[in-house]
């Protein structure tokens, strides 16, 4: 199982901790500046350089189990969830552009 960590340094007297932030898989933006992490029913994005949260993708109704940058469009993220859906997200504006129900 892949685990995601963000490492930080102490600068200017301000301590910023690093460590395990997710035991689920993660996805990085094409330029490597943003990491996307499964976090309960949502997907959280963070700046790789600062560790600061950027935005949250909300829409799944159960635990998000996987995220991946679309192989067809690097501006889209695909997520799977225990709610039985795949969702395609526009990572520039944070909207869900498509919901695909599991077959059956």
């Amino acid at each position: 199982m892949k685990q995601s960590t963000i490492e930080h340094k102490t600068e200017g007297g301000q301590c910023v901790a690093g460590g395990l932030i997710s035991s689920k898989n993660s996805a990085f933006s094409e330029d490597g500046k943003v990491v996307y992490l499964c976090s309960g029913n949502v997907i959280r994005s963070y700046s790789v350089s600062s560790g600061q949260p950027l935005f949250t993708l909300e829409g799944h109704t159960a635990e998000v189990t996987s995220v991946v940058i679309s192989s067809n469009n690097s501006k889209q993220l695909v997520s799977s969830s225990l709610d039985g859906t795949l969702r395609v997200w526009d990572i520039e504006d944070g909207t869900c552009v498509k919901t695909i129900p599991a077959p059956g």
Side-chain angles (χ1 to χ4, degrees):
M1 178 183 310
K2 182 176 176 183
Q3 295 185 339
S4 300
T5 60
I6 293 180
E7 306 243 346
H8 300 286
K9 297 178 182 175
T10 302
E11 292 183 16
Q14 182 179 16
C15 180
V16 183
L20 179 67
I21 54 177
S22 177
S23 61
K24 304 281 188 225
N25 79 322
S26 57
F28 287 86
S29 60
E30 185 176 51
D31 62 9
K33 293 181 179 181
V34 179
V35 62
Y36 302 92
L37 304 169
C38 306
S39 179
N41 295 3
V42 301
I43 300 147
R44 299 189 189 281
S45 64
Y46 295 88
S47 165
V48 171
S49 63
S50 70
Q52 293 297 310
L54 300 174
F55 56 86
T56 301
L57 302 174
E58 299 180 13
H60 283 293
T61 58
E63 183 178 2
V64 179
T65 56
S66 183
V67 291
V68 64
I69 297 294
S70 171
S71 60
N72 296 327
N73 183 343
S74 65
K75 302 296 182 195
Q76 291 184 334
L77 181 82
V78 180
S79 60
S80 63
S81 169
L82 294 178
D83 65 10
T85 65
L86 296 175
R87 289 184 180 256
V88 181
W89 305 89
D90 180 318
I91 55 177
E92 290 189 327
D93 66 12
T95 60
C96 179
V97 296
K98 189 171 189 177
T99 301
I100 305 164

